[in-house]
């Protein structure tokens, strides 16, 4: 029966604890252990049953309990302590204001998923967790940022394994009215909604807001009566449906997100795209500038590019969203007319430069074309990205492709255990927790007594084992396992032995099975009478990833074998709860991706923050973080043509590390039964990794290298009636029109067969510039070592600054190149555009090389 009227029932809280509601609706609680303890204290069992959701718990707890708590002096003291801390947090001056003063600036951070807490399940994995940690650090640092995303009715799937170990998915419906999100209303109390045009029809989305400390996260939801049929379900699942459904979600995220901010009176000068899912936002910003400021398409593009930042998390081309031209035309043909550009030009915004638009429209390429600043998420991933996306800047050497790297981090307070946090506070002070990015007194780690660090870690392992047994028993019962088998769950694992953790998405390239490659050797290692080992696995395969599901099924079958039954456990339905237990309780964190296939990875950082040691392939963040004494590197960086041989080499490297280094170090105990060598490595890992691999450092780096520079560029181009944008667009249009006529006619140098190091190499280049002003080009000598194939490697460019006119349109550019390296070297000559308004001379399609 459909109701004729709906209304919302909210819990009645006693007046003296009424502000529990404020605490519940600001997600600050989820990274403050004292706040978490406050909610758990209200009803420990209910807290666990309701997935750590304080909003839902306030509505479910018995009224008599609330009344009793309101008279409990201990609870009231705890309540006021948390409330005072929260109020100070919201009002005190933060890093950004101390560093830059009060500035009227807004940065909009767009992401398809946000992993903030398990009680707001709108995330699937690493990308979302990173986005959530980014918002938390922005709040802690006072960075003027708002988040924009989608509110999914079912979020990501819940995982269940059948008795054979095959993954099945379910999609529980989220009850937004019992979550820490609120409907956004205007001053008259009316719901704020946005509309987006979808292939000849309008689709509507309702706006919600979640408060993440001092940061607001706005979320769009299509599940309400203004939409009919399938449009109602556009935001039902994260990464669900077909290509068209994905496009609809990304239109809503990018275009709908910009329209929502506009409705709310928020005018971001800087938009940060966390992956390419939101890249359509740039098209909407261009359209609005053309409509409001009466700018041309080219002029509006320059402003949008100046104020856009793109972070790519993709290590392989297959991970990029690419839409067919037919699908693009169905949804964007009208947009191309609004922008005043031909359809072919519109498609070229997302096609590989110089490529065939019929190959598809790439969201990453669109984001690169419309962003002045782009970055990978680790030093190695920056290198990989410059290789993958070199085609966007044709003719540019890989090392000069303008993609920087800003390595990911973690929000420490969200991931360290309450026990380890108390230990750090006690011996190292609050700066370690609140300002991890500026820790210069790393010797504070040595002040922690070995005994206390080890006993604290042992308590976390004990809790992990207890948690794993409980979870395993529950999942065996749900699979229909016999009662005798379910009871054996109480006997698996040992709280006192070396414990390895592996948890991540079950994609084949992540190779969860690498350590299982030689079962006989592994069985001998795990079941050693004197130095036993155990492994806890967790993770989900994408619903459409059959190879990933098969890998998971094989792992479950191996774990059921008699020799592994007590030593290998797989925990279903990997989420933030399981992740916290694992990274806080294992001894070794295992990571085995194919090298160059993991952009960054952050789970190992979470483990390291808790004193856990990493054993990983040298990929992603570990490639730049690893040094002897803080963990272990699996194998080398060698790549073999035979992939099976590669896997064998690396599997055996794992076994060798375990047998020869890791296990002996863990079990080497003195008379006090402390593994002093292991504890020394724990401390060195904390000392080395804590100050670097955190989202405070990461968010500060984004602010100083991207946000502030983008804001300055945005203001430069929009000042004085958008004069800068108009001048830059006119310059690019003029130089592009005459670029093809440029010719390099002659190159002369005093290079001999041998040149003494330190000597100067004089170069003169005669160029015919056609109609282009010589002050608008940069003639460069590109030089460096020559490899065995005759190619210049890791070259550097020096400009020829002396200019002499020879005749009409013909000029001679001369200069001197210092020879600072010995060995076989060579040089070439190239021409790039030059203008003080260009942030980078690398304009796609505008580079001329000597033939």
């Amino acid at each position: 029966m459909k109701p004729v009227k709906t209304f919302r029932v909210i819990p009645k809280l006693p007046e003296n604890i009424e502000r529990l509601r404020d605490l519940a609706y600001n997600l600050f609680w989820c990274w403050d252990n004292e706040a978490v303890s406050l909610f758990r204290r209200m009803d420990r069992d209910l807290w666990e049953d309701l997935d750590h959701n304080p909003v839902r718990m306030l509505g479910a707890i018995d009224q008599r309990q609330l009344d009793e708590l309101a008279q409990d002096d201990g609870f009231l003291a705890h309540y006021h302590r948390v409330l005072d801390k929260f109020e100070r947090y919201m009002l005190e001056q933060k890093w950004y204001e101390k560093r830059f003063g009060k500035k009227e600036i807004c940065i909009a951070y767009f992401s398809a998923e946000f992993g903030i807490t398990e009680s707001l399940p709108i995330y699937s994995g690493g990308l979302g967790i990173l986005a959530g940690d980014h918002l938390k650090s922005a709040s802690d640092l006072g960075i003027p940022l708002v988040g924009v995303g989608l509110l999914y009715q079912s979020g990501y799937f819940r995982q269940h394994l059948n008795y054979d170990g095959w993954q099945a998915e379910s999609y529980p419906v989220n009850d937004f009215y019992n979550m820490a999100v609120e409907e956004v209303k205007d001053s008259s109390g009316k719901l704020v909604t946005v509309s987006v045009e979808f292939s000849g029809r309008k689709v509507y989305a309702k706006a919600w807001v979640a408060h993440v400390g001092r940061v607001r996260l706005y979320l769009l939801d299509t599940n309400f009566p203004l939409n009919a049929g399938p449009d109602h379900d556009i935001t039902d699942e994260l990464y669900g449906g077909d290509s068209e459904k994905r496009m609809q979600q990304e239109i809503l995220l990018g275009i709908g997100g910009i329209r929502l901010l506009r409705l709310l009176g928020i005018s971001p000068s800087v938009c940060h795209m966390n992956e390419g899912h939101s890249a359509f936002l740039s098209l909407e910003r261009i359209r609005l500038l053309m409509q409001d400021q009466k700018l041309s398409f080219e002029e509006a593009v320059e402003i949008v590019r100046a104020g856009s930042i793109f972070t790519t998390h993709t290590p392989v081309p297959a991970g990029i969203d690419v839409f067919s031209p037919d699908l693009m035309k169905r949804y964007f043909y009208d947009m191309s007319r609004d922008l005043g550009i031909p359809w072919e030009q519109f498609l070229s915004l997302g096609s590989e430069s110089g490529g065939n638009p019929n190959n598809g429209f790439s969201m990453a390429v669109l984001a690169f074309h419309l962003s002045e600043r782009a970055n990978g998420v680790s030093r190695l991933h920056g290198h990989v990205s410059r290789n993958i996306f070199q085609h966007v800047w044709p003719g540019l050497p890989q090392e000069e492709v303008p993609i920087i790297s800003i390595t990911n981090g973690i929000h420490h307070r969200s991931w360290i255990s309450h026990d380890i946090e108390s230990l750090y506070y006690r011996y190292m002070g609050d700066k370690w927790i609140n300002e991890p990015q500026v820790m210069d007194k790393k010797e504070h780690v040595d002040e922690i007594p070995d005994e206390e660090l080890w006993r604290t870690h042992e308590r976390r392992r004990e809790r992990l084992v207890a948690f794993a047994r409980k979870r395993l028993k529950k999942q065996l019962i749900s699979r229909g396992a016999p009662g005798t088998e379910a009871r054996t769950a109480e006997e698996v694992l040992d709280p006192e032995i070396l414990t390895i953790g592996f948890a991540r998405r079950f994609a084949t390239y992540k190779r969860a099975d690498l350590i299982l490659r030689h079962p006989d050797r592994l069985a001998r290692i795990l079941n050693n009478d004197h130095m036993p080992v155990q492994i806890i696995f967790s993770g989900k395969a994408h619903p459409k990833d059959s190879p990933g599901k098969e890998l998971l099924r094989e792992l479950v079958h191996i774990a059921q074998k008699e020799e592994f039954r007590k030593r290998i456990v797989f925990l279903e339905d990997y989420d933030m709860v399981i992740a916290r237990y694992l990274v806080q309780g294992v001894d070794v964190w295992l990571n085995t991706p194919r090298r160059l296939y993991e952009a960054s990875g952050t789970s190992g950082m979470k483990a390291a923050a808790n004193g856990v040691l990493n054993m990983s392939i040298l990929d992603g963040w570990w490639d730049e973080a690893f040094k002897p004494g803080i963990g272990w590197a699996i194998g080398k960086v060698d790549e073999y043509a035979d992939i099976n041989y590669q896997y064998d080499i690396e599997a055996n490297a794992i076994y060798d590390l375990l047998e020869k280094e890791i296990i002996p170090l863990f079990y080497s105990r003195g008379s006090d039964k402390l593994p002093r060598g292991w504890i020394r490595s724990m401390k060195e890992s904390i000392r080395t990794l804590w100050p670097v691999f955190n989202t405070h450092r990461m968010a500060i780096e984004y602010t100083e290298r991207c946000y502030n520079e983008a804001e300055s560029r945005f203001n430069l181009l929009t000042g004085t009636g958008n004069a800068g944008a108009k001048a830059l667009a006119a310059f690019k249009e003029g130089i592009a029109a005459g670029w093809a006529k440029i010719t390099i006619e002659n190159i002369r140098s005093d290079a001999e067969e041998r040149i003494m190091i330190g000597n100067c190499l004089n170069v003169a280049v005669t160029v015919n510039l056609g109609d282009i002003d010589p002050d608008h080009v940069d003639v460069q000598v590109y030089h460096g070592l020559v490899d065995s194939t005759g190619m210049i490697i890791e070259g550097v460019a020096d400009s020829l600054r002396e200019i002499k006119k020879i005749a009409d349109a013909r000029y001679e550019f001369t200069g001197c190149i210092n020879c600072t390296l010995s060995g076989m070297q060579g040089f070439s000559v190239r021409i790039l555009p030059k203008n003080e308004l260009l942030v980078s001379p690398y304009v796609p399609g505008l580079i001329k090389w000597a033939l």
Side-chain angles (χ1 to χ4, degrees):
M1 177 65 67
K2 187 174 183 180
V4 295
K5 177 74 175 175
T6 60
F7 52 92
R8 186 177 179 186
V9 178
I10 62 174
K12 181 182 178 181
L13 297 173
E15 187 176 348
N16 64 334
I17 56 171
E18 207 278 334
R19 292 202 63 195
L20 280 171
R21 184 179 286 106
D22 295 339
L23 293 174
Y25 272 95
N26 192 306
L27 293 166
F28 165 81
W29 66 262
C30 76
W31 70 89
D32 185 86
N33 279 318
E34 197 166 15
V36 173
S37 297
L38 177 70
F39 288 119
R40 181 183 285 114
R41 180 175 185 163
M42 295 175 70
D43 190 319
R44 182 176 295 273
D45 293 336
L46 192 61
W47 176 253
E48 296 299 331
D49 292 342
L50 298 181
D51 296 324
H52 306 162
N53 182 344
V55 174
R56 192 174 168 201
M57 191 172 79
L58 290 181
I61 195 168
D62 188 271
Q63 189 66 44
R64 285 176 301 176
Q65 280 181 271
L66 287 174
D67 294 336
E68 289 172 5
L69 289 169
Q71 303 302 317
D72 184 326
D73 289 341
F75 179 81
L76 289 174
H78 193 169
Y79 163 74
H80 287 296
R81 200 162 56 245
V82 172
L83 190 59
D84 288 346
K85 179 191 286 189
F86 171 64
E87 289 178 336
R88 286 197 310 273
Y89 176 86
M90 296 298 287
L91 294 174
E92 67 188 5
Q93 190 182 50
K94 303 291 186 181
W95 168 83
Y96 186 91
E97 189 176 334
K98 292 176 184 177
R99 177 77 170 80
F100 302 109
K102 286 189 175 181
K103 296 176 68 175
E104 294 298 322
I105 173 182
C106 174
I107 301 141
Y109 181 89
F110 286 73
S111 182
E113 51 174 306
F114 287 91
I116 300 167
T117 166
E118 57 272 17
S119 60
L120 185 61
I122 55 172
Y123 65 94
S124 71
L127 180 72
I129 300 298
L130 184 279
D133 281 9
H134 193 128
L135 295 195
K136 293 171 186 177
S137 278
S139 173
D140 289 346
L141 296 165
I143 298 171
L145 180 146
V146 297
V148 181
L150 301 179
L151 189 60
Y152 301 98
Q153 191 67 57
S154 297
Y156 204 51
F157 70 92
R158 304 299 297 265
Q159 179 194 57
H160 309 280
L161 303 186
N162 65 20
Y163 196 66
D164 188 45
W166 189 257
Q167 174 181 291
E169 299 87 28
S170 62
Y171 295 85
V173 175
N174 288 324
D175 178 4
F176 301 149
Y177 294 100
N178 274 311
M179 292 180 175
V181 293
E182 298 175 283
E183 294 167 321
V184 180
K185 298 181 180 179
D186 62 21
S187 57
S188 65
K190 184 180 178 182
L191 292 175
V192 172
T193 62
V194 298
S195 64
V196 181
E197 295 73 29
F198 274 10
S199 188
R201 69 188 188 278
K202 278 194 174 182
V203 172
Y204 298 88
K206 181 168 64 172
W208 300 75
V209 63
H211 295 277
V212 187
R214 294 156 59 112
V215 169
R216 289 164 294 162
L217 169 59
Y218 292 103
L219 303 162
L220 289 171
D221 161 34
T222 61
N223 183 20
F224 72 119
L226 282 179
N227 292 318
D231 293 342
H232 191 270
D233 300 325
I234 288 171
T235 56
D236 59 348
E237 297 173 19
L238 171 60
Y239 304 141
D242 57 13
S243 182
E244 183 168 8
K245 180 76 165 289
R246 177 71 69 89
M247 173 180 276
Q248 291 172 345
Q249 290 186 342
E250 297 186 0
I251 291 171
L252 184 64
L253 173 61
I255 297 176
I258 289 293
R259 292 183 183 179
L260 172 61
L261 294 179
R262 184 178 172 89
L263 277 175
L264 298 173
I266 299 171
S267 302
S269 51
V270 178
C271 287
H272 184 174
M273 294 170 275
N274 189 43
E275 249 315 334
H277 307 117
S278 60
F280 290 138
L281 71 85
S282 298
L283 301 175
E284 178 66 4
R285 294 181 80 194
I286 292 168
R287 188 190 69 80
L288 289 172
L289 282 167
M290 294 175 67
Q291 171 187 292
D292 298 344
Q293 305 289 328
K294 308 306 177 187
L295 298 174
S296 70
F297 173 76
E298 290 76 17
E299 292 163 350
V301 163
E302 296 305 330
I303 293 173
V304 170
R305 291 189 74 252
S308 296
I309 294 150
F310 172 46
T311 297
T312 173
H313 295 257
T314 307
V316 290
I320 301 167
D321 283 336
V322 178
F323 299 116
S324 72
D326 289 342
L327 194 58
M328 287 298 300
K329 192 165 189 176
R330 193 184 318 158
Y331 282 86
F332 282 94
Y333 190 75
D334 288 344
M335 169 72 86
S336 72
R337 292 193 299 184
D338 290 343
L339 299 179
I341 59 175
W343 178 243
E344 292 72 20
Q345 183 181 351
F346 183 94
L347 276 185
S348 71
L349 293 171
S351 67
E352 298 183 1
S353 186
N356 184 352
N358 293 324
N359 290 338
F361 189 94
S362 165
M363 295 297 284
V365 172
L366 174 66
F368 281 122
H369 278 156
L370 297 179
S371 304
E372 275 189 353
R373 287 163 185 79
N375 70 281
V377 290
S378 69
R379 188 168 59 200
L380 182 59
H381 182 238
H383 171 78
V384 171
S385 297
R386 288 187 287 275
N387 180 44
I388 293 174
F389 297 110
Q390 186 176 5
H391 60 78
V392 178
W393 295 268
L396 200 62
Q398 178 183 319
E399 64 268 16
E400 292 186 317
V401 170
I403 302 174
I404 64 171
S405 61
I406 296 179
T407 301
N408 283 344
I410 63 159
H411 185 257
H412 280 142
R413 292 185 64 197
S414 295
W415 296 104
I416 58 174
S417 69
H418 178 68
D419 306 270
I420 206 78
E421 182 185 66
S422 298
L423 194 65
Y424 290 167
Y425 270 129
R426 190 156 62 250
Y427 290 102
M428 301 189 297
D430 60 0
K431 223 177 182 185
W432 267 84
I433 307 295
N434 298 326
E435 299 180 75
Q437 76 284 358
V438 296
M439 286 316 305
D440 53 353
K441 295 183 178 179
K442 300 179 187 178
E443 66 272 11
H444 282 355
V445 180
D446 293 328
E447 296 179 16
I448 303 175
D450 287 0
E451 296 85 349
E452 285 198 59
L453 180 59
W454 187 244
R455 300 308 174 212
T456 300
H457 178 67
E458 286 193 312
R459 280 198 303 275
R460 294 310 311 181
R461 192 190 316 115
E462 289 167 4
R463 290 176 187 172
L464 168 61
V465 169
F467 170 81
R469 287 171 174 172
K470 184 177 179 180
R471 275 293 183 108
L472 181 60
K473 184 176 182 179
K474 182 178 178 181
Q475 67 194 41
L476 286 172
I477 291 172
S478 69
R479 286 183 211 168
T484 53
E485 185 176 341
R487 284 192 292 274
T488 61
E490 299 171 0
E491 302 172 2
V492 302
L493 305 177
D494 184 328
E496 296 184 355
I497 70 174
L498 177 62
T499 305
I500 299 171
F502 181 102
R504 51 195 31 88
R505 184 162 56 89
F506 262 65
T508 52
Y509 76 86
K510 292 181 181 284
R511 300 191 298 181
D513 59 339
L514 190 63
I515 194 172
L516 310 173
R517 192 166 179 84
H518 301 298
D520 292 345
R521 187 174 180 187
L522 180 62
R524 290 195 297 273
I525 292 172
L526 300 191
N527 294 302
N528 184 293
D529 290 338
H530 304 291
M531 297 186 293
V533 180
Q534 60 198 5
I535 312 173
I536 304 176
F537 289 92
S538 192
K540 298 177 178 179
H542 188 277
K544 296 180 181 178
D545 183 6
S546 294
K549 288 184 176 183
E550 182 59 35
L551 188 154
L552 198 162
R553 190 184 71 86
E554 291 174 2
L555 187 153
V556 171
H557 280 212
I558 288 175
Q560 291 172 343
K561 292 184 176 181
E562 187 59 35
E563 62 268 34
F564 296 122
R565 189 177 294 275
K566 293 184 180 181
R567 293 287 185 254
I568 298 179
V569 166
F570 178 84
L571 300 180
E572 291 179 17
D573 204 28
Y574 184 46
D575 64 359
M576 293 178 76
V577 177
I578 293 177
R580 275 195 297 271
Y581 271 101
L582 285 171
V583 299
Q584 294 170 6
V586 299
D587 301 294
V588 174
W589 193 256
L590 178 65
N591 187 30
T592 53
R594 284 190 63 184
R595 191 166 190 273
L596 306 184
Y597 277 65
E598 181 164 85
S600 175
T602 56
S603 60
M605 302 177 193
K606 300 177 182 83
N610 286 282
V612 175
L613 303 183
N614 278 270
M615 173 170 57
S616 175
I617 297 290
L618 287 169
D619 198 14
W621 79 286
W622 193 239
D623 183 72
E624 66 192 85
F626 171 72
K627 70 173 188 177
I630 67 168
W632 296 272
I634 300 169
K636 307 296 182 183
V637 297
D638 302 324
E639 294 289 323
Y640 299 95
D642 185 338
I643 194 65
N644 285 316
Y645 182 66
Q646 177 93 35
Y647 283 23
D648 277 339
I649 289 288
E650 290 168 345
N652 284 318
I654 293 173
Y655 303 139
D656 287 345
L657 283 173
L658 286 170
E659 291 173 331
K660 298 175 182 177
E661 297 186 34
I662 297 173
I663 296 172
L665 184 66
F666 182 85
Y667 284 105
S668 177
R669 313 287 172 100
S671 58
D672 56 7
K673 298 186 178 180
L674 293 177
R676 297 281 183 179
W678 190 275
I679 296 169
R680 190 159 49 247
S681 290
M682 290 174 68
K683 288 185 174 181
E684 188 60 28
S685 174
I686 296 167
R687 187 193 340 267
T688 302
L689 303 178
W690 181 280
V692 180
F693 298 98
N694 62 80
T695 44
H696 277 38
R697 184 274 311 156
M698 182 193 81
I700 287 173
E701 199 170 343
Y702 274 114
T703 300
E704 295 179 338
R705 298 181 66 186
C706 297
Y707 298 159
N708 288 354
E709 291 185 10
E711 182 211 3
S712 296
R713 283 281 296 165
F714 184 89
N715 292 338
L716 174 67
L717 296 189
T718 56
T720 320
N722 303 306
K726 292 176 180 178
L728 183 55
F731 166 76
K732 283 187 175 181
E733 183 180 6
I735 204 164
W739 195 257
K741 297 178 182 178
I742 295 177
T743 56
I744 298 174
E745 296 183 345
N746 186 33
I747 301 171
R748 303 186 308 280
S749 75
D750 56 6
E752 300 176 354
E753 187 175 344
R754 292 186 178 86
I755 296 178
M756 298 296 293
I757 194 167
N759 284 0
C760 186
L761 174 66
N762 293 297
V763 179
V765 180
T766 304
V767 178
N768 189 321
L769 294 178
D771 298 328
I772 295 177
D773 190 307
D775 290 334
H776 290 167
V777 297
D778 187 11
V779 179
Q780 299 178 341
V781 175
Y782 180 81
H783 58 100
L785 295 172
V786 175
D787 66 12
S788 59
T789 66
M791 301 296 292
I792 296 173
I793 55 173
E794 298 181 357
V796 295
D798 289 304
S799 298
L800 301 177
R801 304 189 185 280
E802 299 295 325
I803 306 173
K804 182 174 70 175
K805 186 172 183 178
I806 299 173
D808 289 345
R810 298 177 70 243
Y811 298 85
E812 184 177 75
F813 292 76
T814 58
C816 175
I817 307 305
N818 287 319
C819 300
T820 58
L821 296 174
S822 62
M824 181 61 69
Q825 298 190 40
F827 75 85
S828 185
V829 171
R830 68 184 186 187
I831 304 175
L832 297 169
K834 183 170 74 173
N835 187 294
E836 62 182 8
L837 289 172
L838 281 174
V839 70
S840 165
Y842 307 133
V843 180
L846 298 185
I847 183 168
K848 179 81 68 173
W849 286 92
L851 300 177

